[in-house]
Amino acid sequence: MERLNIAVLVSGGGSNLQAIIDALQDELNQTSIKCVISNRKEAFGLKRAEKYGIDAHYFGLGNFPDAKERTRQMLQLLKRYNVDLIVLAGYLAILEESFIEAFKGRIINIHPSLLPKYGGQGYYGAKVHEAVIAAGEKYSGATTHFVDKGVDTGRIIYQAKIEVKEGDTPETLAQRVLREEHRLIVKTVKDIQERVVLIGN
Ligand code: GRF
């Protein structure tokens, strides 16, 4: 089976990226992380990449203030790496439509709720868990989905459901959801690697 070349886009700590890196030796042994890109220069995710000798690139307002130029340069780099799949792992910048078009059906995202609930504009990071708790939800979880031109609206691939516990704070819930995310992102990339989940259509 030919290898799956991926790029991982991060904005923060990169724990989902780390979960993918940790799986490269076994579940993801036919996958190569060709590069990691962040819109934030100081994202710890870039440091995680560098530690594993993975090319790490900053594309943000600091070096590419013009969004169209930034997108063009990112696409050029990704094509040079012959990337098959883009994985958004805690990536908080909005991708230009031209980027989505260029990788139609080949961009996945991980979101810390059971979409379509608690997704879309304004629902990211702690805000998701605050809203879930405020609404008295009995369950929450994580979702992987294809990225389309909306925010968190693309076709759902997998979901992991967990109970919201009595006395949960946004922090304790976030921690349990994040553990599910790490499991789900690896499962999703693995099934794409093995053509159980098809991309590009
Ligand atoms: C996580 O809450 C994840 O749900 C969201 O971004 C946050 C940071 O993830 N996608 P990471 O630790 O940077 O992977």
Side-chain angles (χ1 to χ4, degrees):
M1 178 191 310
E2 79 213 47
R3 293 184 72 79
L4 175 71
N5 290 333
I6 72 173
V8 183
L9 275 54
V10 300
S11 294
S15 69
N16 280 283
L17 164 67
Q18 188 64 52
I20 295 171
I21 290 172
D22 293 345
L24 292 175
Q25 298 311 317
D26 38 29
E27 295 120 298
L28 301 183
N29 62 8
Q30 294 302 313
T31 294
S32 300
I33 304 177
K34 304 301 281 184
C35 68
V36 171
I37 291 175
S38 181
N39 63 314
R40 292 185 49 234
K41 202 177 177 69
E42 65 288 348
F44 190 64
L46 291 177
K47 291 181 181 43
R48 291 183 193 268
E50 283 155 5
K51 179 176 170 213
Y52 287 86
I54 300 169
D55 286 359
H57 299 271
Y58 163 60
F59 282 92
L61 295 175
N63 56 1
F64 289 104
D66 174 72
K68 294 221 177 322
E69 178 59 15
R70 180 163 68 244
T71 299
R72 245 165 30 78
Q73 295 290 337
M74 280 169 73
L75 287 175
Q76 230 172 38
L77 181 80
L78 292 164
K79 291 242 173 9
R80 253 203 333 267
Y81 279 119
N82 191 25
V83 164
D84 304 304
L85 176 74
I86 310 278
V87 180
L88 306 185
Y91 187 67
L92 296 179
I94 299 296
L95 292 168
E96 294 267 305
E97 285 201 6
S98 56
F99 188 100
I100 311 269
E101 272 308 305
F103 278 92
K104 196 170 174 56
R106 294 177 175 278
I107 309 173
I108 64 171
N109 183 43
I110 179 127
H111 183 79
S113 78
L114 294 173
L115 291 177
K117 295 181 95 172
Y118 307 103
Q121 290 293 356
Y123 283 114
Y124 57 87
K127 293 179 189 297
V128 173
H129 310 297
E130 284 160 13
V132 164
I133 290 170
E137 295 285 356
K138 295 274 170 284
Y139 297 99
S140 190
T143 303
T144 52
H145 64 93
F146 284 104
V147 171
D148 62 13
K149 293 178 179 166
V151 179
D152 300 329
T153 51
R155 179 158 60 89
I156 287 173
I157 305 171
Y158 291 131
Q159 296 196 296
K161 186 175 176 181
I162 61 167
E163 280 186 41
V164 178
K165 292 200 164 81
E166 199 57 38
D168 251 333
T169 64
E171 293 69 32
T172 58
L173 180 57
Q175 244 171 20
R176 287 208 316 283
V177 170
L178 196 56
R179 264 204 299 280
E180 290 305 315
E181 290 178 52
H182 297 163
R183 196 177 54 73
L184 207 57
I185 194 72
V186 169
K187 173 179 167 58
T188 302
V189 175
K190 179 176 185 293
D191 283 356
I192 291 172
Q193 170 189 270
E194 291 168 6
R195 276 89 173 145
V196 169
V197 171
L198 298 177
I199 59 175
N201 44 3

